Amino acid sequence: SNAGLDVVKQKSCQTLGEAEQFAKELGLNDDASDATKGDESNSPLVVVKPHRGVASDDVYLCSSMQSLREAFSKIHSSPVFGSSTAAKHQSVLVQEFASGTEYAIDVVCRDGDRKVAALWKYDKRSVNGAPFVYFMTQLIPAANNDDEGPKKDVEEAVCNYVFNALEALDIRWGLSHVEVIVTRNAETGSIQVRLVEVNCRQHNTDFMPLTNACVGYNALDMVLAAYLGEND
C-alpha cells in the first residue's frame, strides 16, 4: 500500500469480466477444481465476498473460474446486509487467499489516540462444504512488559500494525474492528501481518459479557468514554 503496509491484494469488481481478469492476475485458472471443500494445496485460490456482510456469510473460496463465476452471480445484486434502503450489491470484492492465522482487533480512537479494546484469534475451518466456518473465536491477552518470546512478538506486531493502518486511513474517532492475517517465516522467525479488512463498527458478536467477565471492560463503554468522557 502507499503507507508501506502489507495488505491482501483485492479489487472491487462491478462486472464479472473485471472479476475474471483480476482473478487471472492472482493466478486463478480454469484447470483447478472447486475449493469449497477446503482443499488449498493444489492451486491458487481467491476469495469472493460482499463489500458489506456479516461473519462468513456469502464468502466463497474459489479455485477455478467456474466457481468464481458462481460466487459472483450469487453475491451481485443480492441484498446488502443491514441496509435500511433495501440496497443491493452493485459490485463484488475479489481477494487473494492469504493463508495464516487470522486475528481481529477491536480498537477505540479518540482524536487519533488509539487503545486496543480486545484482541481475538479466529479458528475457521471447512465444514459441510463451507470453507470458512467459525470453530472458535478466542479472546487473547495483548502483550505486556512481563510477556516474553514469540507470543509477545506476534501480539505486539498485530497491535502496532493495526494502529499504523488506522493512521494511514485517517480513522481518528470511534470504534473499529480490524481483521489481519499473520504468518511467521520458519527460517528467519520474521512476522508478516497483512490487512484483510477494516470495519468502522463494533465486533459482530455478543462480546460485552465476554470481555466484561475476562478483562473487566468492553469496547462500547470505551467508545462512550472516548466521546463523552474527560480529556484523560
Side-chain angles (χ1 to χ4, degrees), residues 110 113 225-226 228-232:
R110 177 191 172 105
D113 182 22
L228 305 176
E230 301 295 333
N231 291 333
D232 58 355

Side-chain angles (χ1 to χ4, degrees), residues 7-200:
V7 298
V8 172
K9 295 177 183 177
Q10 56 190 295
K11 184 177 182 179
S12 174
C13 301
Q14 294 184 333
T15 67
L16 178 58
E18 277 188 278
E20 291 176 329
Q21 180 58 41
F22 184 63
K24 288 179 182 178
E25 295 174 10
L26 296 177
L28 194 68
N29 56 65
D30 277 317
D31 298 327
S33 60
D34 185 25
T36 56
K37 294 183 179 180
D39 183 4
E40 305 163 6
S41 60
N42 296 326
S43 65
L45 304 172
V46 300
V47 175
V48 181
K49 65 183 186 180
H51 276 279
R52 180 176 176 179
V54 57
S56 57
D57 292 356
D58 288 329
V59 179
Y60 299 93
L61 183 63
C62 304
S63 65
S64 69
M65 284 298 176
Q66 181 58 35
S67 58
L68 177 137
R69 295 181 189 111
E70 293 172 359
F72 187 95
S73 66
K74 290 177 181 177
I75 298 171
H76 195 273
S77 298
S78 66
V80 176
F81 173 80
S83 172
S84 60
T85 60
K88 296 187 176 181
H89 289 288
Q90 299 303 309
S91 60
V92 175
L93 192 63
V94 179
Q95 293 181 328
E96 68 171 315
F97 173 72
S99 61
T101 303
E102 186 173 5
Y103 291 84
I105 306 90
D106 299 332
V107 179
V108 174
C109 302
R110 177 191 172 105
D111 196 18
D113 182 22
R114 301 177 176 91
K115 297 187 182 299
V116 174
L119 177 59
W120 309 86
K121 184 178 180 180
Y122 286 163
D123 183 357
K124 298 179 184 177
R125 305 183 187 183
S126 174
V127 178
N128 297 329
F132 304 111
V133 177
Y134 285 84
F135 180 77
M136 178 175 63
T137 300
Q138 181 183 8
L139 180 64
I140 62 174
N144 58 57
N145 293 332
D146 295 329
D147 291 334
E148 294 182 358
K151 183 172 178 289
K152 174 183 178 180
D153 294 340
V154 171
E155 292 163 347
E156 286 188 346
V158 168
C159 294
N160 290 337
Y161 178 97
V162 169
F163 281 11
N164 289 333
L166 294 176
E167 180 67 25
L169 294 169
D170 197 29
I171 298 174
R172 303 182 58 82
W173 286 92
L175 178 57
S176 296
H177 176 70
V178 185
E179 297 177 352
V180 299
I181 294 289
V182 178
T183 55
R184 183 187 290 273
N185 188 296
E187 296 182 358
T188 66
S190 61
I191 299 168
Q192 182 186 36
V193 184
R194 304 174 70 190
L195 181 66
V196 175
E197 60 187 40
V198 175
N199 304 281
C200 295

